[in-house]
Coordinates of all heavy atoms in Angstrom, one line a residue:
M932 N 37.7 -24.3 -1.9 CA 36.7 -23.5 -2.6 C 35.9 -22.7 -1.6 O 35.4 -23.2 -0.6 CB 35.8 -24.4 -3.4 CG 34.9 -23.6 -4.3 SD 33.8 -24.7 -5.3 CE 34.9 -25.0 -6.6
S933 N 35.8 -21.4 -1.8 CA 35.1 -20.6 -0.8 C 33.6 -20.5 -1.2 O 33.2 -20.7 -2.3 CB 35.7 -19.1 -0.9 OG 35.5 -18.6 -2.1
Q934 N 32.8 -20.2 -0.2 CA 31.4 -20.1 -0.3 C 30.9 -18.7 0.1 O 31.5 -18.1 0.9 CB 30.6 -21.1 0.6 CG 30.6 -22.5 0.1 CD 29.7 -23.3 1.0 OE1 29.3 -22.9 2.1 NE2 29.3 -24.5 0.5
S935 N 29.8 -18.3 -0.5 CA 29.2 -17.0 -0.1 C 27.7 -17.3 0.2 O 27.0 -17.7 -0.7 CB 29.4 -16.0 -1.2 OG 28.7 -14.8 -0.8
L936 N 27.3 -17.2 1.4 CA 25.9 -17.5 1.8 C 25.2 -16.2 2.2 O 25.8 -15.4 2.9 CB 25.9 -18.5 3.0 CG 26.6 -19.8 2.7 CD1 26.6 -20.6 4.0 CD2 25.9 -20.6 1.6
T937 N 24.0 -16.0 1.7 CA 23.2 -14.8 2.0 C 21.8 -15.2 2.4 O 21.3 -16.3 2.0 CB 23.2 -13.8 0.9 OG1 22.5 -14.5 -0.2 CG2 24.5 -13.4 0.4
Q938 N 21.2 -14.4 3.2 CA 19.8 -14.6 3.6 C 19.2 -13.2 3.6 O 19.7 -12.3 4.3 CB 19.7 -15.3 4.9 CG 18.2 -15.5 5.3 CD 18.1 -16.3 6.6 OE1 19.0 -16.3 7.4 NE2 17.0 -16.9 6.8
L939 N 18.1 -13.0 2.9 CA 17.4 -11.7 2.9 C 16.1 -11.8 3.5 O 15.2 -12.6 3.1 CB 17.3 -11.2 1.5 CG 16.5 -9.9 1.3 CD1 17.2 -8.7 1.9 CD2 16.3 -9.6 -0.2
L940 N 15.8 -11.1 4.6 CA 14.5 -11.1 5.3 C 13.9 -9.7 5.1 O 14.6 -8.7 5.3 CB 14.7 -11.4 6.8 CG 15.3 -12.8 7.1 CD1 15.4 -12.9 8.6 CD2 14.4 -13.9 6.6
V941 N 12.6 -9.7 4.7 CA 11.9 -8.4 4.5 C 10.7 -8.4 5.4 O 10.0 -9.3 5.5 CB 11.5 -8.3 3.0 CG1 10.7 -7.0 2.8 CG2 12.7 -8.4 2.1
H942 N 10.6 -7.3 6.1 CA 9.4 -7.1 7.0 C 8.5 -6.0 6.3 O 8.9 -4.9 6.1 CB 9.9 -6.5 8.3 CG 8.8 -6.4 9.3 ND1 9.1 -6.0 10.6 CD2 7.5 -6.5 9.3 CE1 7.9 -6.0 11.3 NE2 7.0 -6.3 10.5
I943 N 7.3 -6.5 6.0 CA 6.4 -5.6 5.3 C 5.2 -5.2 6.2 O 4.6 -6.1 6.9 CB 5.8 -6.3 4.0 CG1 7.0 -6.6 3.1 CG2 4.8 -5.4 3.4 CD1 6.6 -7.4 1.9
I944 N 4.9 -4.0 6.3 CA 3.8 -3.5 7.1 C 2.9 -2.8 6.1 O 3.3 -2.0 5.3 CB 4.3 -2.5 8.2 CG1 5.3 -3.1 9.1 CG2 3.1 -1.9 8.9 CD1 5.9 -2.2 10.1
F945 N 1.6 -3.1 6.3 CA 0.6 -2.4 5.4 C -0.5 -1.9 6.2 O -0.8 -2.3 7.3 CB 0.1 -3.4 4.3 CG -0.7 -4.6 4.8 CD1 -2.1 -4.5 4.9 CD2 -0.1 -5.7 5.2 CE1 -2.8 -5.5 5.4 CE2 -0.8 -6.8 5.7 CZ -2.2 -6.7 5.8
H946 N -1.2 -0.9 5.6 CA -2.3 -0.2 6.2 C -3.5 -0.4 5.3 O -3.4 -0.3 4.1 CB -1.9 1.3 6.4 CG -3.0 2.0 7.1 ND1 -4.1 2.6 6.5 CD2 -3.2 2.3 8.5 CE1 -4.8 3.2 7.3 NE2 -4.4 3.0 8.6
V947 N -4.7 -0.6 5.9 CA -5.9 -0.8 5.1 C -6.7 0.5 5.1 O -6.7 1.3 6.1 CB -6.7 -1.9 5.6 CG1 -6.0 -3.2 5.5 CG2 -7.1 -1.7 7.1
K948 N -7.3 0.8 4.0 CA -8.1 2.0 3.8 C -9.6 1.7 4.3 O -10.3 2.6 4.8 CB -8.2 2.4 2.4 CG -6.9 3.1 1.9 CD -7.0 3.4 0.5 CE -7.3 4.9 0.3 NZ -7.4 5.3 -1.1
N949 N -10.0 0.4 4.2 CA -11.3 0.1 4.5 C -11.5 -0.2 6.0 O -10.9 -1.2 6.5 CB -11.7 -1.2 3.7 CG -13.2 -1.5 3.8 OD1 -13.9 -1.0 4.7 ND2 -13.7 -2.4 3.0
P950 N -12.2 0.6 6.7 CA -12.3 0.4 8.2 C -13.0 -0.9 8.5 O -12.9 -1.4 9.7 CB -13.0 1.6 8.7 CG -13.8 2.1 7.5 CD -13.0 1.8 6.3
L951 N -13.8 -1.5 7.6 CA -14.5 -2.8 7.9 C -13.5 -3.9 8.2 O -13.8 -4.8 9.0 CB -15.4 -3.1 6.7 CG -16.6 -2.2 6.5 CD1 -17.4 -2.6 5.3 CD2 -17.5 -2.1 7.7
I952 N -12.3 -3.9 7.5 CA -11.3 -4.9 7.8 C -10.7 -4.8 9.2 O -10.4 -5.8 9.8 CB -10.2 -4.8 6.7 CG1 -10.8 -5.2 5.3 CG2 -9.0 -5.8 7.0 CD1 -9.8 -5.1 4.2
C953 N -10.6 -3.5 9.7 CA -10.1 -3.3 11.0 C -11.1 -3.8 12.1 O -10.7 -4.1 13.2 CB -9.8 -1.8 11.2 SG -8.5 -1.2 10.1
D954 N -12.3 -3.8 11.7 CA -13.4 -4.2 12.7 C -13.8 -5.6 12.6 O -14.9 -6.0 13.0 CB -14.6 -3.3 12.5 CG -14.3 -1.8 12.9 OD1 -13.4 -1.6 13.7 OD2 -15.0 -1.0 12.3
I955 N -12.9 -6.5 12.0 CA -13.3 -7.9 11.8 C -13.4 -8.6 13.1 O -12.7 -8.3 14.1 CB -12.2 -8.6 10.9 CG1 -12.7 -9.9 10.4 CG2 -10.9 -8.7 11.6 CD1 -11.8 -10.5 9.3
R956 N -14.3 -9.5 13.2 CA -14.5 -10.2 14.5 C -13.4 -11.2 14.7 O -12.8 -11.7 13.8 CB -15.8 -11.0 14.4 CG -17.1 -10.1 14.2 CD -18.3 -10.9 14.2 NE -18.3 -11.8 13.0 CZ -19.2 -12.6 12.6 NH1 -20.3 -12.7 13.4 NH2 -19.1 -13.3 11.6
P957 N -13.0 -11.3 16.0 CA -11.8 -12.2 16.2 C -12.0 -13.6 15.7 O -11.1 -14.3 15.3 CB -11.8 -12.2 17.8 CG -12.4 -10.9 18.2 CD -13.5 -10.7 17.1
Q958 N -13.3 -14.2 15.7 CA -13.5 -15.5 15.3 C -13.4 -15.6 13.7 O -13.2 -16.7 13.2 CB -14.8 -16.1 15.7 CG -16.0 -15.3 15.3 CD -16.5 -14.2 16.2 OE1 -15.7 -13.7 16.9 NE2 -17.8 -13.9 16.2
D959 N -13.4 -14.5 13.0 CA -13.3 -14.5 11.6 C -11.9 -14.1 11.1 O -11.7 -14.1 9.9 CB -14.3 -13.6 10.9 CG -15.8 -14.1 11.1 OD1 -15.9 -15.3 11.3 OD2 -16.7 -13.3 11.1
S960 N -11.0 -13.7 12.0 CA -9.7 -13.2 11.6 C -8.9 -14.3 10.9 O -8.1 -14.0 10.1 CB -9.0 -12.7 12.8 OG -8.7 -13.7 13.8
H961 N -9.1 -15.6 11.2 CA -8.4 -16.7 10.6 C -8.6 -16.7 9.1 O -7.7 -17.1 8.3 CB -8.7 -18.0 11.2 CG -10.1 -18.5 10.9 ND1 -11.2 -18.1 11.6 CD2 -10.5 -19.4 10.0 CE1 -12.3 -18.7 11.1 NE2 -11.9 -19.5 10.1
I962 N -9.8 -16.3 8.6 CA -10.1 -16.2 7.2 C -9.2 -15.2 6.5 O -8.7 -15.4 5.5 CB -11.6 -15.9 7.0 CG1 -12.5 -17.0 7.6 CG2 -11.9 -15.7 5.5 CD1 -13.9 -16.7 7.6
L963 N -9.1 -14.0 7.1 CA -8.3 -12.9 6.6 C -6.8 -13.4 6.6 O -6.1 -13.2 5.6 CB -8.4 -11.7 7.4 CG -7.6 -10.5 7.0 CD1 -7.9 -10.0 5.6 CD2 -7.8 -9.3 7.9
Y964 N -6.3 -14.0 7.7 CA -4.9 -14.4 7.7 C -4.6 -15.5 6.7 O -3.6 -15.5 6.1 CB -4.6 -14.9 9.1 CG -4.6 -13.8 10.2 CD1 -5.1 -14.1 11.4 CD2 -4.2 -12.5 9.9 CE1 -5.2 -13.1 12.4 CE2 -4.3 -11.5 10.8 CZ -4.8 -11.8 12.1 OH -4.8 -10.9 13.1
A965 N -5.6 -16.4 6.4 CA -5.4 -17.4 5.4 C -5.4 -16.8 4.0 O -4.6 -17.3 3.2 CB -6.6 -18.4 5.5
Y966 N -6.1 -15.8 3.8 CA -6.1 -15.1 2.5 C -4.8 -14.4 2.3 O -4.2 -14.6 1.2 CB -7.3 -14.1 2.4 CG -7.3 -13.3 1.1 CD1 -7.7 -13.9 0.0 CD2 -6.9 -12.0 1.1 CE1 -7.8 -13.2 -1.2 CE2 -6.9 -11.3 -0.1 CZ -7.3 -11.9 -1.2 OH -7.3 -11.2 -2.4
I967 N -4.3 -13.7 3.3 CA -3.0 -13.0 3.1 C -1.9 -14.1 3.0 O -1.0 -13.9 2.2 CB -2.8 -12.1 4.4 CG1 -3.8 -11.0 4.4 CG2 -1.3 -11.6 4.4 CD1 -3.8 -10.2 5.6
G968 N -2.0 -15.2 3.8 CA -1.0 -16.2 3.6 C -0.9 -16.9 2.3 O 0.1 -17.2 1.7
G969 N -2.1 -17.0 1.7 CA -2.2 -17.6 0.3 C -1.6 -16.7 -0.7 O -0.9 -17.1 -1.6
I970 N -1.7 -15.4 -0.6 CA -1.1 -14.4 -1.5 C 0.5 -14.5 -1.3 O 1.2 -14.5 -2.3 CB -1.6 -13.0 -1.2 CG1 -3.0 -12.9 -1.6 CG2 -0.7 -12.0 -2.0 CD1 -3.7 -11.6 -1.2
I971 N 0.9 -14.6 -0.1 CA 2.3 -14.7 0.2 C 2.9 -15.9 -0.5 O 4.0 -15.9 -1.1 CB 2.6 -14.6 1.7 CG1 2.3 -13.2 2.2 CG2 4.1 -15.0 2.0 CD1 2.3 -13.1 3.7
K972 N 2.3 -17.1 -0.2 CA 2.8 -18.4 -0.8 C 2.7 -18.4 -2.3 O 3.6 -19.0 -2.9 CB 2.0 -19.5 -0.1 CG 2.3 -19.7 1.3 CD 1.5 -20.8 1.9 CE 1.8 -21.0 3.4 NZ 1.0 -22.1 4.0
K973 N 1.7 -17.8 -2.9 CA 1.6 -17.7 -4.3 C 2.7 -17.0 -5.0 O 3.2 -17.3 -6.1 CB 0.3 -17.1 -4.7 CG 0.0 -17.0 -6.2 CD -1.3 -16.4 -6.5 CE -1.6 -16.3 -8.0 NZ -2.8 -15.6 -8.3
N974 N 3.3 -16.1 -4.2 CA 4.5 -15.3 -4.7 C 5.8 -15.9 -4.3 O 6.8 -15.2 -4.3 CB 4.4 -13.9 -4.3 CG 3.3 -13.1 -5.0 OD1 3.3 -13.0 -6.2 ND2 2.3 -12.6 -4.2
D975 N 5.8 -17.2 -4.0 CA 7.0 -18.0 -3.6 C 7.7 -17.4 -2.4 O 8.9 -17.3 -2.4 CB 7.9 -18.2 -4.8 CG 7.3 -19.0 -5.9 OD1 6.5 -19.9 -5.5 OD2 7.6 -18.7 -7.0
C976 N 7.0 -16.9 -1.4 CA 7.6 -16.3 -0.2 C 7.2 -17.2 0.9 O 6.3 -18.0 0.8 CB 7.1 -14.9 0.0 SG 7.5 -13.7 -1.3
K977 N 7.9 -17.1 2.1 CA 7.6 -17.8 3.3 C 7.2 -16.9 4.4 O 8.0 -16.1 4.8 CB 8.8 -18.6 3.7 CG 9.2 -19.7 2.7 CD 10.4 -20.5 3.2 CE 10.9 -21.5 2.2 NZ 12.1 -22.2 2.7
P978 N 5.9 -17.0 4.8 CA 5.5 -16.1 6.0 C 6.2 -16.7 7.2 O 6.2 -17.9 7.5 CB 4.0 -16.3 6.0 CG 3.7 -17.6 5.3 CD 4.8 -17.8 4.3
I979 N 6.7 -15.8 8.0 CA 7.4 -16.2 9.3 C 6.5 -15.7 10.5 O 6.2 -14.6 10.5 CB 8.8 -15.6 9.4 CG1 9.6 -16.2 8.3 CG2 9.4 -16.0 10.7 CD1 11.0 -15.5 8.2

């Protein structure tokens, strides 16, 4: 019996309109990354 295996990887790049997000302090960046990671996981995706 033959098998067909596939893997789809998607690289998404986004740009923010609000300059305040770009000026986030390095010690607070983990909060932003946790928020983005939560959105990714909620959509049944795996951040790499």
Side-chain angles (χ1 to χ4, degrees):
M932 183 181 279
S933 64
Q934 281 187 345
S935 177
L936 303 174
T937 62
Q938 182 178 23
L939 175 64
L940 299 176
V941 178
H942 184 175
I943 298 174
I944 300 172
F945 65 95
H946 182 273
V947 295
K948 288 177 100 176
N949 188 347
L951 294 176
I952 293 175
C953 297
D954 295 333
I955 193 167
R956 297 181 298 181
Q958 63 268 29
D959 293 334
S960 64
H961 70 281
I962 298 170
L963 178 61
Y964 296 143
Y966 178 74
I967 294 170
I970 293 171
I971 292 170
K972 289 179 182 178
K973 183 178 176 184
N974 289 301
D975 295 326
C976 298
K977 293 181 183 177
I979 299 174

